[in-house]
Amino acid sequence: MSPYPLSPTGTLVDGKSKELDLSRKLVLLAIFCLAQFLDSFNNSALFSAIPALDIAMGMTESQSTWIISAFQLTFASFLLISGRISDVYNPKNVFIGGVAGLGIISLCVGFVNTKIPIIICRALIGIASSMTIPSALTLLVNVFPDPLQQARAIGIFGGCGAVANVLGLLIGAMFVQWASYHWVFWFVSIVAVPVALGCFFIIPSQIARTTDSLEPGTAKWKSLDLIGVSILTVALILFIFAVTSGSTDGWASAIVLVPLVISIIMVFAFAYWETLVPVEKAAIPPRTWSYNNFSVLFAVALLPFFWWSTIFLIFTTLWQDVFHWSVISAVIHMFPIGVLAFATSFTGPLSRILSPKWIILTGLSLCMIATVLLALGGGKPEDYWPYIFPAFSLGTMGAMLTYTHTNIAIFQAAPSSMAGTVGAIFNGALQCGSAVGLAAITSIETSVEATHGGPQEYAGRAAVFWFLCGIIALEIMSVSIFYDRSTDHKPQPTHIEPMHPTQHSTPSDEKV
């Protein structure tokens, strides 16, 4: 154990180790953003490839949804255990292992040509990707301890994910049209493997130091809530399977009701199990939800990726399958999303000036206007400029405002010592919202199209957007009612136990 205390950046404060210089910080930020880029790219690039995959592997629409959902499910589920590992073990090693695993699995999946193996490989890619985000956020918070710098860094980090959503569509479209969908996976491998090797030398060990890293290895392993994570993972898989199967097998059928009921029971079982597990071991300690605004921010985090995934899924298939646009043409028409998302990501410092509540409500309101426009028009090529373009513009700015400032606010709501776990919970909410949402909208669209003209008509897609409007309305009401502004712009909690903002520390608190 080091006899010297650690500074907020993880460097020793006795003068034997100095804080990183600005150029080193920027290099590290670029590396962490690249990991975020690859994770988002892995998700979005396949939207362009879905029509080609459907033809090559003989997939139905419900089966092709699982190519996206398999990644999101394992990514969201294993984020919890990955976040805990990042807080307990050395986050540098976790980050490098995740990036390396992502590259190796992507290389292998590029040679797969059948639907079941590719879905399994996508699930494995989700596990590898889940190791990169919590560890990257843990390292990011250590590199940028100043609240203003941290807000900027987190905003840029999130913005790279948003840019990857559109660049993923473009790069995936180029591979599909001029090579093959296999190169979508090989591209990730080509980028990830060298980055993983370089990180051994680029990431300094001092920013990865944690107090838990000084514990014996056996004690660390015992502190991981493997049972809780397993329960939650199975519950999510059963729930997605039930929602996805509802439109094809009937909502009253046993194949839908049985897994649906079991999944709900398992979610309650997970919540109860977390109350029995020691706090230092729990994947999501129950007290986490009592931090100021944490619960409402978690609920808001379910929306942004759901909104973007809905847009990508609806319009890539509509434009290619119904309008018969080329895959490149379809992606170019989505390009405003990437430009505006990246520009909006630089609004992070606004959270230090204005209340995040009003920024998040502004973002949600823009998403509502955009979604109403998409529900009213979009079923014909000539609807692009009067309906779709303004909806993409407003909705992208709204979703990015919501994403960026929810991300910043949720990190400020919990102690910095929980950065890995908080990052896991936040990103898990993003992916769970998207995975569950995609399953729900696929079911809604298929059900409506069965009685309203089939997939050639816009009725099913319009029903999806009206459903999305209802979700956004619930989010607006939740933030308006439950968000408490009393702790805005105040320092992060420094104690493990949540404390009401009106309470003051006592000698016993300081001793703890």
Side-chain angles (χ1 to χ4, degrees), residues 15-362:
K16 293 188 177 181
S17 190
K18 61 182 180 180
E19 184 176 343
L20 301 175
D21 57 38
L22 180 59
S23 59
R24 190 69 175 274
K25 288 182 176 182
L26 293 178
V27 170
L28 292 170
L29 176 60
I31 291 173
F32 303 146
C33 288
L34 182 59
Q36 171 80 314
F37 179 92
L38 289 177
D39 290 332
S40 298
F41 176 90
N42 250 316
N43 196 35
S44 64
L46 283 188
F47 283 106
S48 298
I50 280 179
L53 285 167
D54 288 346
I55 296 172
M57 300 184 185
M59 288 186 172
T60 64
E61 186 174 356
S62 296
Q63 290 172 335
S64 61
T65 301
W66 272 100
I67 294 180
I68 305 297
S69 296
F71 171 86
Q72 293 173 331
L73 276 174
T74 53
F75 184 90
S77 301
F78 283 87
L79 273 170
L80 296 175
I81 194 69
S82 299
R84 182 59 184 158
I85 290 173
S86 297
D87 288 338
V88 173
Y89 289 86
N90 188 318
K92 174 182 175 179
N93 295 337
V94 179
F95 180 79
I96 293 173
V99 176
L102 177 61
I104 294 170
I105 298 171
S106 297
L107 176 64
C108 297
V109 75
F111 295 98
V112 174
N113 292 297
T114 52
K115 56 187 176 184
I116 300 300
I118 199 171
I119 291 174
I120 294 173
C121 288
R122 285 283 293 168
L124 294 175
I125 289 176
I127 295 174
S129 296
S130 71
M131 297 173 63
T132 65
I133 298 303
S135 54
L137 287 168
T138 300
L139 296 169
L140 188 68
V141 169
N142 289 340
V143 173
F144 298 97
D146 178 74
L148 181 58
Q149 291 183 354
Q150 191 177 109
R152 289 172 178 165
I154 292 175
I156 295 172
F157 183 81
C160 287
V163 170
N165 281 331
V166 175
L167 283 183
L169 287 172
L170 179 60
I171 296 172
M174 292 168 64
F175 285 142
V176 170
Q177 184 153 331
W178 295 322
S180 72
Y181 65 85
H182 301 284
W183 278 98
V184 173
F185 304 106
W186 290 333
F187 173 81
V188 174
S189 180
I190 291 170
V191 176
V193 172
V195 169
L197 295 174
C199 284
F200 277 107
F201 308 99
I202 298 173
I203 300 178
S205 59
Q206 64 263 33
I207 69 167
R209 294 287 299 278
T210 65
T211 55
D212 287 335
S213 67
L214 303 174
E215 297 178 358
T218 54
K220 296 175 186 177
W221 179 254
K222 292 178 181 178
S223 68
L224 302 178
D225 185 14
L226 298 178
I227 295 177
V229 171
S230 299
I231 294 172
L232 184 61
T233 301
V234 174
L236 288 172
I237 292 173
L238 290 175
F239 183 80
I240 296 297
F241 175 80
V243 175
T244 305
S245 303
S247 60
T248 55
D249 298 305
W251 291 99
S253 63
I255 198 172
V256 173
L257 291 178
V258 172
L260 183 62
V261 172
I262 293 176
S263 67
I264 294 173
I265 293 173
M266 293 186 73
V267 168
F268 283 104
F270 169 77
Y272 178 69
W273 171 260
E274 295 299 281
T275 64
L276 303 178
V277 177
V279 172
E280 66 276 6
K281 180 180 177 181
I284 306 179
R287 65 188 178 189
T288 303
W289 306 106
S290 61
Y291 287 114
N292 198 53
N293 296 324
F294 196 93
S295 297
V296 67
L297 291 170
F298 173 85
V300 174
L302 297 169
L303 178 68
F305 279 20
F306 176 28
W307 193 89
W308 276 314
S309 296
T310 301
I311 298 300
F312 294 154
L313 184 63
I314 291 291
F315 287 104
T316 52
T317 55
L318 174 69
W319 291 344
Q320 292 182 59
D321 295 344
V322 179
F323 294 175
H324 303 294
W325 292 357
S326 69
V327 63
I328 295 295
S329 177
V331 171
I332 290 175
H333 281 79
M334 287 190 176
F335 201 72
I337 294 179
V339 175
L340 290 170
F342 187 69
T344 311
S345 70
F346 288 94
T347 63
L350 285 177
S351 286
R352 307 303 303 171
I353 303 172
L354 305 174
S355 170
K357 176 177 182 177
W358 305 124
I359 302 175
I360 293 171
L361 284 175
T362 300

Side-chain angles (χ1 to χ4, degrees), residues 397-415:
M397 290 189 292
M400 198 62 205
L401 283 174
T402 303
Y403 168 78
T404 299
H405 296 278
T406 302
N407 196 357
I408 294 170
I410 203 168
F411 272 96
Q412 290 297 313

Side-chain angles (χ1 to χ4, degrees), residues 394-443:
L394 294 174
T396 297
M397 290 189 292
M400 198 62 205
L401 283 174
T402 303
Y403 168 78
T404 299
H405 296 278
T406 302
N407 196 357
I408 294 170
I410 203 168
F411 272 96
Q412 290 297 313
S416 59
S417 60
M418 292 181 61
T421 301
V422 171
I425 293 172
F426 176 76
N427 284 276
L430 293 171
Q431 297 295 338
C432 279
S434 179
V436 175
L438 282 179
I441 66 168
T442 300
S443 179

